[in-house]
Amino acid sequence: MEITLQQAQQQVHDWINTAGVRYFGELTNLGILMEEVGELSRLMVRIYGEQSFKESDKEKDLSDEMADVLWVLLCLANQTGVDLTAALQKNFEKKNIRDGQRHRLNDKLKGG
């Protein structure tokens, strides 16, 4: 099943208002977001970096950790009135203007 950002924002909102009872405050959700990003980071350095797995990390799932980060970001977007679809489109425009040629012309990024 494919889902748009707009649909995801709405589904999170609907879930929060039924099963979740209410949103946590924005600052609480910011703290939760930082915690979730930390968990994602911890798992990625064990999978792709040099750190070895702790027993407690072996059952973690990368996709689930990314979904947790996205969930809290969707909550914050809903709470602050940010339409993530529009924000992402605007961000692409900004990146195309600012970085459209910059990366192609960067010798450090050219093949190998």
Side-chain angles (χ1 to χ4, degrees), residues 51-66:
Q51 282 193 331
S52 58
F53 272 89
K54 293 181 179 178
E55 200 59 42
S56 61
D57 293 328
K58 289 184 177 177
E59 300 298 316
K60 301 278 184 178
D61 175 36
L62 190 61
S63 63
D64 187 54
E65 296 299 333
M66 287 185 182

Side-chain angles (χ1 to χ4, degrees), residues 92 95-112:
F92 268 114
K95 283 176 177 31
N96 285 334
I97 292 167
R98 184 188 68 199
D99 301 328
Q101 295 295 319
R102 185 169 67 111
H103 295 304
R104 259 187 238 130
L105 300 175
N106 184 341
D107 289 336
K108 291 181 179 181
L109 296 177
K110 293 183 180 173

